[in-house]
Amino acid sequence: MKLFSNGFKGWKQSWKGDLRASISVAFIAIPLGLGIGLASGVPPLSAVIPSVVGGLFISWFSGGSIALHSTPKMLIGVTAAAVLSFGGDDVFLGYRFFLSAVVVAGLIQFILGILRMGVIGDLIPATVIKSLLASVGVIIIVKQIPALLGAETHAASLIQLVQEMKGLIGGVNPIVMFIGIISVLIMFVHPKIESPVIKALPAAVWVILISIAYSYALEFAEGGQYTIFQHTYEFGSKQLIALPSELSESIVMPDFGLWQTAHFWNIVLAIVLVTSIEGILSARAIDRLDPLKRKTNVNKELRAVGIGTSISGMLGGMPVIPGIVPSSVAVTHNGKTQLVDVFQAILILLLVVLLGSQLKHIPLAALAGILIQTGYKLLNPSEIRNVYRIGWDQVLIFFTTLLITLTFDLIIGIAAGVAITIVIHIIRLRSVMKLFTILFRPNVVAYEEGDENTFHVSVRGYSNFLNYSRLKKALDVIPSDSTINLDLSLTEFIDHTVLEHLAEFEESHIRRGGHFEIIGMDNHRTSTAHPLSVRFKGDSKVPRPANVTLTSRQKKLQALANTLNWKFELAVIRYVLSFEKFHLFRFRTVDRVYNRLIGTATDYDIVVQDVDFHEGEFQVKVDRQATVAVISVNRKMPLFTLEKEHIFDRVAALAGYDDIDFKDFRKFSNKFRLKGEDETAIRLFFNVELLEFLQNGTSYRLESTGDSMLVFGKERILSEREIEELIEFCSTLLSKLG
C-alpha cells in the first residue's frame, strides 16, 4: 500500500506538515467542487464526493507520491450534456443514469491500468490537448454567464445559450450581478496582491466568506425585491446554492436501466477518454511540482482512480482524477506524502457536516465567479499566442479542434483534432504510406557508451505522436543521473508533440541530476523560429535567425557593466539547478536566467541576473520574474534566512517560532525575521557594523547556503537604477562582513 511504503517512521516525520497542508486544501476543495457540480448540472455535493473518495480510498493505492484527488474539470460539458440527454425533463433521473455510466467507466479505466494503457496520453497530439483544455474553458465561462448576471435561461446546449446571450443581458439582476462581478475581481486580483493578510486565505475562500456575508446582509434566503430606475428586481433562495438538508440525502444510487443502449456506451467512452487524458496530464504536472522529484506510476494511478471512480459513482459522485489545484496547494504548504489526501478528505467531511447550513447561503453568482477564473486558466490566452508562434499547422489543428468540440462534443473534437493532424503530416511527408509504416517499424536504438554512464539514443525515419511511445520507453529506462545524447540526425520528420514531450523530459532529467542534449537537427527545416516548431528535412537551408536587437534596458545594463568593469551576458540559460539550494526557490521552478551582470566586489564574485520562474503547474501555473544577486563567498558562513518581518511573523514568534533577535538592535529585530539552526554562529556572523547597516538600509531578503548568498528584493524585473542600488547594497554588505 502506498501510505505504508515509508513505514510508520515516514508517517511520524511528515504527518504534522501534511495535516497543516490539508487544511488549506480542504478550504479550496469545497468551493471548487461545488462550482464544478453547479456547472455540470448535477447536485453540487456530487463534485465534492470525489475528493472524499480520493482521500479515504484511492490514496492507499495511488501511483503518485503527492497526488491529491478531485473532480475532472474537462468533464463538465460531457456531464451536463449526458444528464440532459439521459433524463430529458427529469434531471434527477438523468443524473442517476449518468452515475451508472461513471461506475462502468471506472471499471474500464481499471482494466486499462492493468493493460498498461497509461500511454494513451502520449497518443493525443499536444496541440489537440491544448485545444480541448481551451474548449472546456470556453464552455465553463459561457455556461456561468447567466448565473453571474442573475438572469434565467432554459438553453439546453452551448449553441442555444450563445444565441440567447443578447436576451440574457436584458434580464440582468443588478443585485446578483454585483456579487458575481466582485467574485470575479477577487479571483483575478488576489494573486497580484502581496499583503500577507490577504494571502493568508486563498482567493476562493475570500469569495465564499464575502458572498455569504453579502447573502446574510440582504437576507437572500428570505427573499425580497427592490426597484432601480422604475424596474423591480427580485432575489431569493433560487439564487443560492441548493444543498440537501441531510448529508445522507446527497448519496444517490445509480440507475443501470440504459446499459443496453448505444448512447449509454457513448457516454461511458467519453468519460473514460476525458478522465484518462486529464488524469495523465495532471499526473505529469504534479510530478513537476514535487520538490522531491518523485515520478508517478501512471498505470498504477490509472487503476487506482478507476476503482475510485466506480466507488464515487456508487455513492452519487462524479469521476475521480489526480487534481492539479489541490496538489499544488499541498506542495506549496509543505505537504510531503499521500497523508495530505487522507487528512483533506476527513476535513472536507467535517466541514460539510459542521458548516453545511452556512454553505447554503452561498450565492450562485459567487461560484460562477470562481468558475469563470478557472475557465480563463484553462482557456489560457498566452498558450494560444504560443500556438501561433509555433506555426500555421498548429493554429489550424488548435482552432479546428476547438470549433468542432464546441459545436458537437469532446469525443468528436478529439477525433477531428487527430484527423487534421494526420492530414497535415501526410502533406508534410508527401506520402500516406510513410505515415502508417512508422506504426509497425522499429525506429529507436539506445545503448550505453563505454563505462561513463553516458547513453546514446538514435531515432530514424519519422518521429511523431503515433510512435513517440517507443522513444519514451527507451528514455524512461535510462538512469536519472546519466548523460543522454539524443541523436535526431537520421530523422526526416519530427512533429511538435514529440518536441514538446522531449522538452518536458529534458527538464525532468536535468532536475533529477542528469544531463540531456539533443543533437543532429542542424539540417532540419522549420517554418518558424520557435524551438518546438515541426522539423523536417528539405533542400532549403535552415532560416538564419534575425540579428539580436538590444532593448533600452539591456543597453543601459551593458553601459553599467562597462562602468563597473564587469561582464554583461545576454545568453539565456535554462534549468539552472543552483537556485534550488535556496529555500526561496524550493517550491518554485526556475525556467531560465538571462541578462547576467558578472563581476567582483571586495574580492567576492557577484552575479546579478534576471530570473524567470513559476509556481504551480497546469491550470494553477503562475509565471513570475525577478532580478536577484548571487554572491559566491570564499569562506564558510552559517546557514540563515533574513527577510522582512510581517505581522503574522510576530504572532508566530509569540507562539515560540524561531526568530533570532538582538536586544541592542531593536530596530533590526522589529524590521527583520532572522532564522537558522546554529544560533551561536549566526550571532557571531551578524556583527555590530553589519547590524547597523542592515537596520538603516534598504530591505532585501538574504539567504545563506554556507558558501553562497542570495540577495532578493522585489518580485519583478528591476530597472537599471534599481540594479545599480542592488549592486551597491551587495558591495557595502560584503565590506561589513567581519
Side-chain angles (χ1 to χ4, degrees), residues 78-107:
V78 173
T79 304
V83 170
L84 286 174
S85 61
F86 276 146
D89 294 333
D90 191 341
V91 177
F92 185 73
L93 179 61
Y95 170 49
R96 292 186 63 196
F97 286 139
F98 171 75
L99 290 177
S100 67
V102 170
V103 174
V104 175
L107 295 176

PDB file of all heavy atoms in Angstrom, residues 78-107:
ATOM      1  N   VAL A  78     -19.357  17.225 -20.863  1.00  0.00           N
ATOM      2  CA  VAL A  78     -19.875  15.872 -21.069  1.00  0.00           C
ATOM      3  C   VAL A  78     -20.963  15.563 -20.051  1.00  0.00           C
ATOM      4  O   VAL A  78     -22.021  15.008 -20.386  1.00  0.00           O
ATOM      5  CB  VAL A  78     -18.733  14.842 -20.955  1.00  0.00           C
ATOM      6  CG1 VAL A  78     -19.285  13.417 -20.991  1.00  0.00           C
ATOM      7  CG2 VAL A  78     -17.725  15.040 -22.068  1.00  0.00           C
ATOM      8  N   THR A  79     -20.723  15.924 -18.785  1.00  0.00           N
ATOM      9  CA  THR A  79     -21.696  15.642 -17.728  1.00  0.00           C
ATOM     10  C   THR A  79     -23.010  16.368 -17.968  1.00  0.00           C
ATOM     11  O   THR A  79     -24.096  15.770 -17.886  1.00  0.00           O
ATOM     12  CB  THR A  79     -21.122  16.057 -16.360  1.00  0.00           C
ATOM     13  OG1 THR A  79     -19.881  15.388 -16.148  1.00  0.00           O
ATOM     14  CG2 THR A  79     -22.083  15.709 -15.241  1.00  0.00           C
ATOM     15  N   ALA A  80     -22.918  17.663 -18.250  1.00  0.00           N
ATOM     16  CA  ALA A  80     -24.133  18.451 -18.471  1.00  0.00           C
ATOM     17  C   ALA A  80     -24.946  17.904 -19.634  1.00  0.00           C
ATOM     18  O   ALA A  80     -26.178  17.760 -19.547  1.00  0.00           O
ATOM     19  CB  ALA A  80     -23.768  19.915 -18.711  1.00  0.00           C
ATOM     20  N   ALA A  81     -24.271  17.560 -20.737  1.00  0.00           N
ATOM     21  CA  ALA A  81     -24.976  17.030 -21.907  1.00  0.00           C
ATOM     22  C   ALA A  81     -25.562  15.653 -21.623  1.00  0.00           C
ATOM     23  O   ALA A  81     -26.680  15.336 -22.053  1.00  0.00           O
ATOM     24  CB  ALA A  81     -24.016  16.959 -23.092  1.00  0.00           C
ATOM     25  N   ALA A  82     -24.829  14.810 -20.883  1.00  0.00           N
ATOM     26  CA  ALA A  82     -25.297  13.457 -20.584  1.00  0.00           C
ATOM     27  C   ALA A  82     -26.544  13.484 -19.706  1.00  0.00           C
ATOM     28  O   ALA A  82     -27.501  12.741 -19.950  1.00  0.00           O
ATOM     29  CB  ALA A  82     -24.187  12.663 -19.900  1.00  0.00           C
ATOM     30  N   VAL A  83     -26.552  14.319 -18.680  1.00  0.00           N
ATOM     31  CA  VAL A  83     -27.705  14.398 -17.776  1.00  0.00           C
ATOM     32  C   VAL A  83     -28.958  14.818 -18.539  1.00  0.00           C
ATOM     33  O   VAL A  83     -30.044  14.254 -18.352  1.00  0.00           O
ATOM     34  CB  VAL A  83     -27.415  15.372 -16.611  1.00  0.00           C
ATOM     35  CG1 VAL A  83     -28.680  15.646 -15.797  1.00  0.00           C
ATOM     36  CG2 VAL A  83     -26.322  14.809 -15.709  1.00  0.00           C
ATOM     37  N   LEU A  84     -28.803  15.801 -19.427  1.00  0.00           N
ATOM     38  CA  LEU A  84     -29.954  16.271 -20.205  1.00  0.00           C
ATOM     39  C   LEU A  84     -30.427  15.214 -21.202  1.00  0.00           C
ATOM     40  O   LEU A  84     -31.624  14.976 -21.366  1.00  0.00           O
ATOM     41  CB  LEU A  84     -29.596  17.560 -20.944  1.00  0.00           C
ATOM     42  CG  LEU A  84     -29.498  18.832 -20.085  1.00  0.00           C
ATOM     43  CD1 LEU A  84     -28.990  19.989 -20.909  1.00  0.00           C
ATOM     44  CD2 LEU A  84     -30.853  19.173 -19.476  1.00  0.00           C
ATOM     45  N   SER A  85     -29.481  14.571 -21.880  1.00  0.00           N
ATOM     46  CA  SER A  85     -29.868  13.583 -22.896  1.00  0.00           C
ATOM     47  C   SER A  85     -30.429  12.316 -22.270  1.00  0.00           C
ATOM     48  O   SER A  85     -31.321  11.670 -22.836  1.00  0.00           O
ATOM     49  CB  SER A  85     -28.667  13.242 -23.781  1.00  0.00           C
ATOM     50  OG  SER A  85     -27.613  12.682 -23.010  1.00  0.00           O
ATOM     51  N   PHE A  86     -29.935  11.942 -21.093  1.00  0.00           N
ATOM     52  CA  PHE A  86     -30.443  10.752 -20.418  1.00  0.00           C
ATOM     53  C   PHE A  86     -31.836  10.975 -19.830  1.00  0.00           C
ATOM     54  O   PHE A  86     -32.714  10.128 -19.928  1.00  0.00           O
ATOM     55  CB  PHE A  86     -29.497  10.334 -19.279  1.00  0.00           C
ATOM     56  CG  PHE A  86     -28.345   9.487 -19.715  1.00  0.00           C
ATOM     57  CD1 PHE A  86     -27.116   9.592 -19.084  1.00  0.00           C
ATOM     58  CD2 PHE A  86     -28.473   8.568 -20.743  1.00  0.00           C
ATOM     59  CE1 PHE A  86     -26.041   8.805 -19.464  1.00  0.00           C
ATOM     60  CE2 PHE A  86     -27.404   7.772 -21.134  1.00  0.00           C
ATOM     61  CZ  PHE A  86     -26.186   7.894 -20.497  1.00  0.00           C
ATOM     62  N   GLY A  87     -32.012  12.124 -19.196  1.00  0.00           N
ATOM     63  CA  GLY A  87     -33.238  12.321 -18.426  1.00  0.00           C
ATOM     64  C   GLY A  87     -34.286  13.206 -19.049  1.00  0.00           C
ATOM     65  O   GLY A  87     -35.442  13.206 -18.611  1.00  0.00           O
ATOM     66  N   GLY A  88     -33.920  14.001 -20.060  1.00  0.00           N
ATOM     67  CA  GLY A  88     -34.890  14.931 -20.643  1.00  0.00           C
ATOM     68  C   GLY A  88     -35.336  15.950 -19.605  1.00  0.00           C
ATOM     69  O   GLY A  88     -34.513  16.657 -19.023  1.00  0.00           O
ATOM     70  N   ASP A  89     -36.621  16.009 -19.353  1.00  0.00           N
ATOM     71  CA  ASP A  89     -37.140  16.950 -18.360  1.00  0.00           C
ATOM     72  C   ASP A  89     -36.870  16.489 -16.930  1.00  0.00           C
ATOM     73  O   ASP A  89     -36.901  17.296 -16.002  1.00  0.00           O
ATOM     74  CB  ASP A  89     -38.655  17.138 -18.550  1.00  0.00           C
ATOM     75  CG  ASP A  89     -38.976  17.812 -19.880  1.00  0.00           C
ATOM     76  OD1 ASP A  89     -38.104  18.568 -20.364  1.00  0.00           O
ATOM     77  OD2 ASP A  89     -40.062  17.568 -20.424  1.00  0.00           O
ATOM     78  N   ASP A  90     -36.641  15.204 -16.747  1.00  0.00           N
ATOM     79  CA  ASP A  90     -36.375  14.666 -15.402  1.00  0.00           C
ATOM     80  C   ASP A  90     -34.863  14.662 -15.167  1.00  0.00           C
ATOM     81  O   ASP A  90     -34.167  13.678 -15.451  1.00  0.00           O
ATOM     82  CB  ASP A  90     -36.941  13.254 -15.286  1.00  0.00           C
ATOM     83  CG  ASP A  90     -36.945  12.742 -13.845  1.00  0.00           C
ATOM     84  OD1 ASP A  90     -36.194  13.316 -13.025  1.00  0.00           O
ATOM     85  OD2 ASP A  90     -37.694  11.802 -13.550  1.00  0.00           O
ATOM     86  N   VAL A  91     -34.348  15.770 -14.655  1.00  0.00           N
ATOM     87  CA  VAL A  91     -32.904  15.924 -14.462  1.00  0.00           C
ATOM     88  C   VAL A  91     -32.369  14.916 -13.456  1.00  0.00           C
ATOM     89  O   VAL A  91     -31.276  14.360 -13.625  1.00  0.00           O
ATOM     90  CB  VAL A  91     -32.579  17.364 -14.003  1.00  0.00           C
ATOM     91  CG1 VAL A  91     -31.089  17.507 -13.729  1.00  0.00           C
ATOM     92  CG2 VAL A  91     -33.009  18.360 -15.062  1.00  0.00           C
ATOM     93  N   PHE A  92     -33.133  14.648 -12.391  1.00  0.00           N
ATOM     94  CA  PHE A  92     -32.662  13.716 -11.365  1.00  0.00           C
ATOM     95  C   PHE A  92     -32.494  12.311 -11.931  1.00  0.00           C
ATOM     96  O   PHE A  92     -31.518  11.624 -11.631  1.00  0.00           O
ATOM     97  CB  PHE A  92     -33.637  13.693 -10.187  1.00  0.00           C
ATOM     98  CG  PHE A  92     -33.173  12.841  -9.036  1.00  0.00           C
ATOM     99  CD1 PHE A  92     -32.140  13.263  -8.217  1.00  0.00           C
ATOM    100  CD2 PHE A  92     -33.751  11.596  -8.798  1.00  0.00           C
ATOM    101  CE1 PHE A  92     -31.694  12.460  -7.161  1.00  0.00           C
ATOM    102  CE2 PHE A  92     -33.315  10.798  -7.754  1.00  0.00           C
ATOM    103  CZ  PHE A  92     -32.286  11.233  -6.932  1.00  0.00           C
ATOM    104  N   LEU A  93     -33.435  11.883 -12.787  1.00  0.00           N
ATOM    105  CA  LEU A  93     -33.320  10.569 -13.411  1.00  0.00           C
ATOM    106  C   LEU A  93     -32.116  10.528 -14.344  1.00  0.00           C
ATOM    107  O   LEU A  93     -31.369   9.542 -14.375  1.00  0.00           O
ATOM    108  CB  LEU A  93     -34.596  10.240 -14.186  1.00  0.00           C
ATOM    109  CG  LEU A  93     -34.613   8.884 -14.913  1.00  0.00           C
ATOM    110  CD1 LEU A  93     -34.470   7.738 -13.914  1.00  0.00           C
ATOM    111  CD2 LEU A  93     -35.890   8.738 -15.733  1.00  0.00           C
ATOM    112  N   GLY A  94     -31.917  11.610 -15.104  1.00  0.00           N
ATOM    113  CA  GLY A  94     -30.746  11.687 -15.973  1.00  0.00           C
ATOM    114  C   GLY A  94     -29.452  11.602 -15.188  1.00  0.00           C
ATOM    115  O   GLY A  94     -28.472  10.992 -15.631  1.00  0.00           O
ATOM    116  N   TYR A  95     -29.443  12.198 -13.988  1.00  0.00           N
ATOM    117  CA  TYR A  95     -28.277  12.151 -13.103  1.00  0.00           C
ATOM    118  C   TYR A  95     -28.001  10.713 -12.661  1.00  0.00           C
ATOM    119  O   TYR A  95     -26.849  10.261 -12.649  1.00  0.00           O
ATOM    120  CB  TYR A  95     -28.526  13.070 -11.920  1.00  0.00           C
ATOM    121  CG  TYR A  95     -27.537  12.973 -10.799  1.00  0.00           C
ATOM    122  CD1 TYR A  95     -26.167  13.009 -11.036  1.00  0.00           C
ATOM    123  CD2 TYR A  95     -27.972  12.858  -9.478  1.00  0.00           C
ATOM    124  CE1 TYR A  95     -25.254  12.935  -9.993  1.00  0.00           C
ATOM    125  CE2 TYR A  95     -27.075  12.783  -8.433  1.00  0.00           C
ATOM    126  CZ  TYR A  95     -25.720  12.814  -8.690  1.00  0.00           C
ATOM    127  OH  TYR A  95     -24.830  12.744  -7.660  1.00  0.00           O
ATOM    128  N   ARG A  96     -29.045   9.963 -12.327  1.00  0.00           N
ATOM    129  CA  ARG A  96     -28.871   8.575 -11.895  1.00  0.00           C
ATOM    130  C   ARG A  96     -28.344   7.705 -13.042  1.00  0.00           C
ATOM    131  O   ARG A  96     -27.497   6.838 -12.830  1.00  0.00           O
ATOM    132  CB  ARG A  96     -30.194   8.016 -11.368  1.00  0.00           C
ATOM    133  CG  ARG A  96     -30.666   8.654 -10.053  1.00  0.00           C
ATOM    134  CD  ARG A  96     -31.899   7.956  -9.533  1.00  0.00           C
ATOM    135  NE  ARG A  96     -31.601   6.561  -9.218  1.00  0.00           N
ATOM    136  CZ  ARG A  96     -32.530   5.622  -9.041  1.00  0.00           C
ATOM    137  NH1 ARG A  96     -33.820   5.937  -9.197  1.00  0.00           N
ATOM    138  NH2 ARG A  96     -32.194   4.388  -8.755  1.00  0.00           N
ATOM    139  N   PHE A  97     -28.851   7.935 -14.254  1.00  0.00           N
ATOM    140  CA  PHE A  97     -28.329   7.199 -15.412  1.00  0.00           C
ATOM    141  C   PHE A  97     -26.856   7.548 -15.642  1.00  0.00           C
ATOM    142  O   PHE A  97     -26.043   6.689 -15.980  1.00  0.00           O
ATOM    143  CB  PHE A  97     -29.147   7.519 -16.661  1.00  0.00           C
ATOM    144  CG  PHE A  97     -30.501   6.879 -16.696  1.00  0.00           C
ATOM    145  CD1 PHE A  97     -31.608   7.567 -17.152  1.00  0.00           C
ATOM    146  CD2 PHE A  97     -30.676   5.569 -16.273  1.00  0.00           C
ATOM    147  CE1 PHE A  97     -32.861   6.967 -17.190  1.00  0.00           C
ATOM    148  CE2 PHE A  97     -31.923   4.953 -16.306  1.00  0.00           C
ATOM    149  CZ  PHE A  97     -33.023   5.661 -16.764  1.00  0.00           C
ATOM    150  N   PHE A  98     -26.521   8.833 -15.461  1.00  0.00           N
ATOM    151  CA  PHE A  98     -25.136   9.264 -15.637  1.00  0.00           C
ATOM    152  C   PHE A  98     -24.231   8.575 -14.614  1.00  0.00           C
ATOM    153  O   PHE A  98     -23.116   8.161 -14.944  1.00  0.00           O
ATOM    154  CB  PHE A  98     -25.032  10.785 -15.495  1.00  0.00           C
ATOM    155  CG  PHE A  98     -23.618  11.293 -15.458  1.00  0.00           C
ATOM    156  CD1 PHE A  98     -22.854  11.351 -16.604  1.00  0.00           C
ATOM    157  CD2 PHE A  98     -23.037  11.704 -14.261  1.00  0.00           C
ATOM    158  CE1 PHE A  98     -21.543  11.801 -16.574  1.00  0.00           C
ATOM    159  CE2 PHE A  98     -21.736  12.159 -14.218  1.00  0.00           C
ATOM    160  CZ  PHE A  98     -20.988  12.208 -15.382  1.00  0.00           C
ATOM    161  N   LEU A  99     -24.700   8.423 -13.379  1.00  0.00           N
ATOM    162  CA  LEU A  99     -23.904   7.758 -12.344  1.00  0.00           C
ATOM    163  C   LEU A  99     -23.586   6.314 -12.736  1.00  0.00           C
ATOM    164  O   LEU A  99     -22.489   5.818 -12.463  1.00  0.00           O
ATOM    165  CB  LEU A  99     -24.644   7.786 -11.010  1.00  0.00           C
ATOM    166  CG  LEU A  99     -24.773   9.150 -10.325  1.00  0.00           C
ATOM    167  CD1 LEU A  99     -25.593   9.019  -9.046  1.00  0.00           C
ATOM    168  CD2 LEU A  99     -23.409   9.751 -10.029  1.00  0.00           C
ATOM    169  N   SER A 100     -24.536   5.633 -13.381  1.00  0.00           N
ATOM    170  CA  SER A 100     -24.273   4.258 -13.819  1.00  0.00           C
ATOM    171  C   SER A 100     -23.157   4.237 -14.870  1.00  0.00           C
ATOM    172  O   SER A 100     -22.318   3.326 -14.881  1.00  0.00           O
ATOM    173  CB  SER A 100     -25.558   3.628 -14.374  1.00  0.00           C
ATOM    174  OG  SER A 100     -25.970   4.268 -15.573  1.00  0.00           O
ATOM    175  N   ALA A 101     -23.133   5.257 -15.743  1.00  0.00           N
ATOM    176  CA  ALA A 101     -22.056   5.353 -16.730  1.00  0.00           C
ATOM    177  C   ALA A 101     -20.720   5.602 -16.044  1.00  0.00           C
ATOM    178  O   ALA A 101     -19.675   5.093 -16.482  1.00  0.00           O
ATOM    179  CB  ALA A 101     -22.362   6.462 -17.738  1.00  0.00           C
ATOM    180  N   VAL A 102     -20.721   6.376 -14.968  1.00  0.00           N
ATOM    181  CA  VAL A 102     -19.499   6.643 -14.198  1.00  0.00           C
ATOM    182  C   VAL A 102     -18.957   5.351 -13.598  1.00  0.00           C
ATOM    183  O   VAL A 102     -17.744   5.078 -13.651  1.00  0.00           O
ATOM    184  CB  VAL A 102     -19.782   7.683 -13.084  1.00  0.00           C
ATOM    185  CG1 VAL A 102     -18.593   7.781 -12.130  1.00  0.00           C
ATOM    186  CG2 VAL A 102     -20.071   9.042 -13.696  1.00  0.00           C
ATOM    187  N   VAL A 103     -19.840   4.533 -13.018  1.00  0.00           N
ATOM    188  CA  VAL A 103     -19.411   3.267 -12.409  1.00  0.00           C
ATOM    189  C   VAL A 103     -18.756   2.363 -13.450  1.00  0.00           C
ATOM    190  O   VAL A 103     -17.672   1.807 -13.224  1.00  0.00           O
ATOM    191  CB  VAL A 103     -20.619   2.555 -11.758  1.00  0.00           C
ATOM    192  CG1 VAL A 103     -20.197   1.169 -11.248  1.00  0.00           C
ATOM    193  CG2 VAL A 103     -21.176   3.386 -10.615  1.00  0.00           C
ATOM    194  N   VAL A 104     -19.392   2.210 -14.613  1.00  0.00           N
ATOM    195  CA  VAL A 104     -18.854   1.348 -15.669  1.00  0.00           C
ATOM    196  C   VAL A 104     -17.543   1.921 -16.218  1.00  0.00           C
ATOM    197  O   VAL A 104     -16.581   1.180 -16.460  1.00  0.00           O
ATOM    198  CB  VAL A 104     -19.888   1.185 -16.804  1.00  0.00           C
ATOM    199  CG1 VAL A 104     -19.290   0.382 -17.958  1.00  0.00           C
ATOM    200  CG2 VAL A 104     -21.146   0.501 -16.288  1.00  0.00           C
ATOM    201  N   ALA A 105     -17.487   3.247 -16.390  1.00  0.00           N
ATOM    202  CA  ALA A 105     -16.263   3.888 -16.897  1.00  0.00           C
ATOM    203  C   ALA A 105     -15.096   3.646 -15.950  1.00  0.00           C
ATOM    204  O   ALA A 105     -13.958   3.417 -16.385  1.00  0.00           O
ATOM    205  CB  ALA A 105     -16.494   5.389 -17.080  1.00  0.00           C
ATOM    206  N   GLY A 106     -15.355   3.682 -14.650  1.00  0.00           N
ATOM    207  CA  GLY A 106     -14.303   3.413 -13.674  1.00  0.00           C
ATOM    208  C   GLY A 106     -13.742   2.009 -13.797  1.00  0.00           C
ATOM    209  O   GLY A 106     -12.518   1.799 -13.713  1.00  0.00           O
ATOM    210  N   LEU A 107     -14.613   1.025 -14.013  1.00  0.00           N
ATOM    211  CA  LEU A 107     -14.158  -0.359 -14.174  1.00  0.00           C
ATOM    212  C   LEU A 107     -13.307  -0.510 -15.436  1.00  0.00           C
ATOM    213  O   LEU A 107     -12.291  -1.211 -15.438  1.00  0.00           O
ATOM    214  CB  LEU A 107     -15.367  -1.291 -14.231  1.00  0.00           C
ATOM    215  CG  LEU A 107     -16.212  -1.373 -12.947  1.00  0.00           C
ATOM    216  CD1 LEU A 107     -17.431  -2.248 -13.161  1.00  0.00           C
ATOM    217  CD2 LEU A 107     -15.371  -1.897 -11.781  1.00  0.00           C
TER     218      LEU A 107
END
